[in-house]
Amino acid sequence: MIIALAQTKGGVGKTTLAVNLAIERVIRRHRDVLLVDADEQGTATDFASLRGERLGGTGFTLVQLTKGTSVRTQIPTLREKFDDVVIDAGGRDSGALRAALTLADIAVIPFQPRSFDVWTLDKVASLVADAKLVNPGLRALAVLNCADPKGQDNAAAAEALADNPEIAYLDCPIGRRKAFPNNAAIGLSVFEAGQPDAKACQELERLADHLFTTPLSTQ
Ligand SMILES: Nc1ncnc2c1ncn2[C@@H]1O[C@H](COP(=O)(O)OP(=O)(O)O)[C@@H](O)[C@H]1O
Ligand SMILES: [Mg+2]
């Protein structure tokens, strides 16, 4: 399974969700995971080095592929060697993001319904439409990140996606929780803190289960 965290906008949680999903697969499912850092900002790579120094190993394999051609040529070979591939792609409309969308089974598009993210969904939808010409099996799913704990964002999110022809809404919201930045700052996933944030863990597990194991349920 290839999951690409894809958004043309930065700061929406692509890297946060990519590294936490990758580690979730390693810790809970004992999968052999390849994490591809396809964002030239290199945040996933920085996270992996910090994690490696702290733990003596990351638990997953990281490759940095920031050019469209390297994504396109290397991932088809690499995917054969791993159980799951998670790609951290985007931050802008790049060749690497476009290439990732042509290879992924699922594009996960983190967004917040009450911000400018809603407008960027149209841009992402057109990238998804282009990618489907060569990758017709691609499923694009918008996931709420930094969601309102009272749950009001859910209705707003579903509404924002209702008329989008390319992107479906996956009802697995991730709340705004300090555990994400606090743990990432020390190279850890939300599962690995001394006292893990139970809600952050539950939300992440639920998202991972929907993406990787259970048949996709969308609204
Ligand atoms: N669910 C969340 N709760 C709290 N903070 C979050 C959450 N998701 C992301 N963040 C924080 O938001 C910032 C941007 O997230 P990041 O994953 O780097 O976004 P992107 O990769 O899309 O640019 C980071 O400081 C990150 O720690
Ligand atoms: Mg990032």
Side-chain angles (χ1 to χ4, degrees), residues 44-68:
T45 306
D46 293 342
F47 171 86
S49 341
L50 180 64
R51 179 175 175 81
E53 278 166 29
R54 185 186 171 98
L55 303 179
T58 55
F60 53 79
T61 300
L62 180 122
V63 287
Q64 203 171 11
L65 301 172
T66 54
K67 299 262 183 299

Side-chain angles (χ1 to χ4, degrees), residues 135-214:
N135 182 14
L138 174 66
R139 302 225 31 210
L141 302 173
V143 169
L144 254 179
N145 187 33
C146 294
D148 172 359
K150 296 192 190 88
Q152 293 162 350
D153 278 351
N154 260 323
E159 198 182 319
L161 268 306
D163 298 327
N164 195 304
E166 302 295 346
I167 305 173
Y169 175 54
L170 179 64
D171 188 12
C172 290
I174 305 289
R176 182 183 292 280
R177 304 194 187 283
K178 288 196 181 119
F180 286 102
N182 288 352
N183 288 17
I186 51 172
L188 300 180
S189 71
V190 287
F191 302 102
E192 298 167 299
Q195 286 195 315
D197 177 330
K199 285 189 177 156
C201 295
Q202 271 166 19
E203 288 170 352
L204 214 276
E205 280 173 12
R206 186 161 174 269
L207 173 62
D209 285 346
H210 274 81
L211 294 175
F212 290 101
T213 48
T214 54

Side-chain angles (χ1 to χ4, degrees), residues 128-141:
V128 168
D130 284 356
K132 279 186 181 169
L133 297 174
V134 289
N135 182 14
L138 174 66
R139 302 225 31 210
L141 302 173

Side-chain angles (χ1 to χ4, degrees), residues 7 9-19 39 41 43 88-91 110 144-147 174-182 184-185 203:
Q7 245 283 18
K9 194 165 181 283
V12 293
K14 293 179 298 295
T15 306
T16 301
L17 295 182
V19 302
D39 185 341
Q41 300 227 333
T43 316
D88 179 9
L144 254 179
N145 187 33
C146 294
I174 305 289
R176 182 183 292 280
R177 304 194 187 283
K178 288 196 181 119
F180 286 102
N182 288 352
E203 288 170 352

Side-chain angles (χ1 to χ4, degrees), residues 108-121:
V108 174
I109 302 154
F111 84 119
Q112 287 174 265
R114 291 169 207 273
S115 76
F116 299 130
D117 296 7
V118 172
W119 299 340
T120 66
L121 287 175

